[in-house]
């Protein structure tokens, strides 16, 4: 890397947005020196810690990113946290361009009366626990017999699939066993999925609904008056029509009864307040002119994500362009807000890469020989960082720990992860 004439580019966040951006940049700027920074000791962000723990085929996308880190001019710098180990101004002083690809990891609060009651849990909290994220406890809180899931997007459908599955359905996965065992020790008997939209206009992908229908688990139903929920106004696009058909398949009378929770799909309902004295007891919904009260032992909110400090102020407003100011960019959810999955992040990264390449080409992003990239960061930060070879040592360790039927046992203690990566444990 030393002596390269290319620009020094830092990407903050090693999830799919950051990795796709590095891929796109290298196609047009093959001599660029790219450092992908992550506060965690492991790369791949959302793929390792955010997507469904049972979808290993989705996680296989890391194979193409592994080739990225073997390219020679792309460096992984884990265990480097923006705001703790290095400031944004300091980073910008050492790199020609800095791109924020951190995603939005904080659960958006459910701004309703009772939303702070014990038993109200963000979807991100549950997902991270199932994926053994270092920021979460190693087990789940008790969800109880009646789980209300607010939201019907893909994150909500991921969690619904977790709630209805049996233990054997997680064979060959890397789900966190303590969290899974806690849930299976007292699984939900009833699950209610509540969406403001009707079935056709809810946000979940039809493919994920069809996966639920094909899974020999759970019994699905609509409330007693399903007419409005499945209303077809005759002007549906292909995705909406597919979603409606998938919901109809889920609740079809000919679908056999299977073991697992009884799942009620409530479309067109608006949560009004969470009821309870010391913890969640029920959720009140407005359903047109009616009020519906659904008993609940826990409420999981899948209503979106927000930025966490220290970048919250920078990322509060979503944008159609990646540039924030000269030399500072953003991509993925940090740019668009919490919408779209991994494919959308790939397209977003390509467009931001084109902005950066255009700025380099036009001279709007002048390079400077005084910018040293990663080598300009403080010596203690560089020494504490985890590079890609050290990550591979940690990953091999996790694979060797895998119990029977699993592909790895993730370590959730950040300091221990760093120690193993540095060969000190």
């Amino acid at each position: 890397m030393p002596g390269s004439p290319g620009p020094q580019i830092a990407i903050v966040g090693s999830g799919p947005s950051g990795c796709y951006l590095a891929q796109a940049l290298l196609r047009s700027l093959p001599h660029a020196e790219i450092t992908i920074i992550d506060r965690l000791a492991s790369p791949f962000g959302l793929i390792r810690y955010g997507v469904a723990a049972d979808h290993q085929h989705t996680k296989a996308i890391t194979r193409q990113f592994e080739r990225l880190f073997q390219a020679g001019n792309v460096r992984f710098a884990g265990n480097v946290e923006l705001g703790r180990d290095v400031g944004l101004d300091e980073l910008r002083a050492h790199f020609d361009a800095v791109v924020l690809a951190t995603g939005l990891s904080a659960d958006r609060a459910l701004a309703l009366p009772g939303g702070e009651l014990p038993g109200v849990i963000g979807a991100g909290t549950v997902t991270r626990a199932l994926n053994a994220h270092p920021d979460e406890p190693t087990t789940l809180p008790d969800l109880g017999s009646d789980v209300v899931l607010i939201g019907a997007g893909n994150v909500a459908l991921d969690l619904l699939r977790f709630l209805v599955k049996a233990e054997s359905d997680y064979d060959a996965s890397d789900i966190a066993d303590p969290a899974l065992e806690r849930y299976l020790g007292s699984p939900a008997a009833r699950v209610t999925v509540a969406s403001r939209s009707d079935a056709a206009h809810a946000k979940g992908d039809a493919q994920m609904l069809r996966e639920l229908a094909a899974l020999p688990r759970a019994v699905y139903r609509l409330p007693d008056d399903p007419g409005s929920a499945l209303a077809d106004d005759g002007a549906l696009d292909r995705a909406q029509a597919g979603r409606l058909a998938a919901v109809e398949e889920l609740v079809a009378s000919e679908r056999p009864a299977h073991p697992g929770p009884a799942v009620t799909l409530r479309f067109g309902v608006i949560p009004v307040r969470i009821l309870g004295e010391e913890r969640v007891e029920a959720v009140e919904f407005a359903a047109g002119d009616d009020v519906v009260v659904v008993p609940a032992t826990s409420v999981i909110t899948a209503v979106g994500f927000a930025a966490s400090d220290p970048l919250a102020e920078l990322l509060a407003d979503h944008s159609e362009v990646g540039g924030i100011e000269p030399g500072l960019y953003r991509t993925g959810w940090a740019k668009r807000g919490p919408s779209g999955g991994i494919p959308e992040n790939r397209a977003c990264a390509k467009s931001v890469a084109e902005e950066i390449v255009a700025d380099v080409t036009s001279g709007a992003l002048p390079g400077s020989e005084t910018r040293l990239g990663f080598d300009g960061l403080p010596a203690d930060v560089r020494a504490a960082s985890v590079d890609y070879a050290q990550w591979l040592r940690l990953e091999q360790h996790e694979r060797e720990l895998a119990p029977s039927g699993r592909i790895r046992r993730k370590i959730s203690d950040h300091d221990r992860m760093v120690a193993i990566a540095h060969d000190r444990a």
Side-chain angles (χ1 to χ4, degrees), residues 24-327:
L25 285 170
L26 286 182
R27 292 191 189 99
S28 299
L29 301 172
H31 300 298
E33 293 184 15
I34 299 175
T35 301
I36 301 181
I37 293 170
D38 204 299
R39 69 185 181 88
L40 300 175
S42 55
F44 310 134
L46 177 71
I47 303 171
R48 178 175 164 92
Y49 289 122
V51 298
D54 57 328
H55 273 186
Q56 290 302 307
H57 62 279
T58 302
K59 293 174 184 277
I61 196 174
T62 58
R63 291 173 190 157
Q64 63 172 290
F65 298 149
E66 289 167 357
R67 293 194 292 274
L68 174 71
F69 288 113
Q70 295 163 356
N73 53 341
V74 177
R75 180 195 303 272
F76 174 64
N79 193 35
V80 178
E81 182 171 347
L82 189 64
R84 182 194 67 182
D85 303 310
V86 61
L88 183 57
D89 289 344
E90 188 177 14
L91 207 57
R92 296 186 67 182
H94 295 298
F95 291 87
D96 298 303
V98 175
V99 188
L100 305 176
T102 54
L104 303 174
S105 58
D107 284 300
R108 200 173 77 183
L110 186 65
L112 296 177
E116 302 298 323
L117 278 171
V120 179
I121 310 163
T125 296
V126 179
T127 302
R128 288 191 294 272
L130 296 175
N131 281 289
H133 193 292
D135 289 351
E136 298 296 338
T138 56
T139 188
L140 284 176
D142 184 14
L143 300 179
S145 59
D146 293 79
V147 179
V148 174
L149 190 51
I150 296 181
N154 287 348
V155 172
L157 296 181
D158 267 343
L159 290 174
L160 176 59
R161 199 174 58 254
F162 162 71
L163 292 171
V164 304
K165 274 191 168 182
E167 183 174 11
S168 60
D169 295 320
Y170 286 92
D171 287 349
S173 78
D174 60 0
I175 192 170
D177 282 309
L180 179 62
E181 290 167 0
R182 174 65 180 269
Y183 175 67
L184 293 177
S186 180
R190 291 162 292 277
V191 178
T192 298
V193 179
S195 168
R196 289 173 174 261
S197 305
D198 61 36
H201 295 86
K203 293 182 179 178
D205 287 347
Q207 180 180 349
M208 296 183 69
L209 291 164
R210 288 194 292 269
E211 181 182 353
L212 287 167
L215 184 68
R217 296 284 299 173
V219 174
Y220 295 86
R221 62 179 286 272
L222 293 165
D224 294 337
D225 180 18
S228 59
L230 294 179
D232 178 354
D233 63 7
L236 302 181
D237 64 24
R238 183 175 179 180
Q240 292 161 351
R243 195 176 296 117
L244 183 61
V247 171
E248 290 173 332
E249 184 180 354
L250 258 182
V251 300
S253 58
E254 58 267 28
R255 183 177 182 271
H258 294 293
V263 180
T264 300
L265 306 174
R266 290 189 176 273
F267 294 101
V269 295
I270 299 173
V272 176
R273 56 178 174 158
I274 310 295
L275 305 175
E277 294 296 328
E278 298 182 356
R279 63 168 289 119
V280 169
E281 295 176 7
V283 184
E284 182 179 301
F285 293 96
D289 294 331
D290 298 327
V291 173
V292 176
V293 176
V294 178
T297 52
S298 62
V299 175
I300 302 177
T301 63
V303 293
F305 295 88
S308 55
D309 292 335
L311 302 175
E313 185 175 346
L314 267 179
L315 306 182
D317 297 324
H318 307 147
S319 174
E320 294 298 318
V321 298
I324 300 175
E325 55 186 71

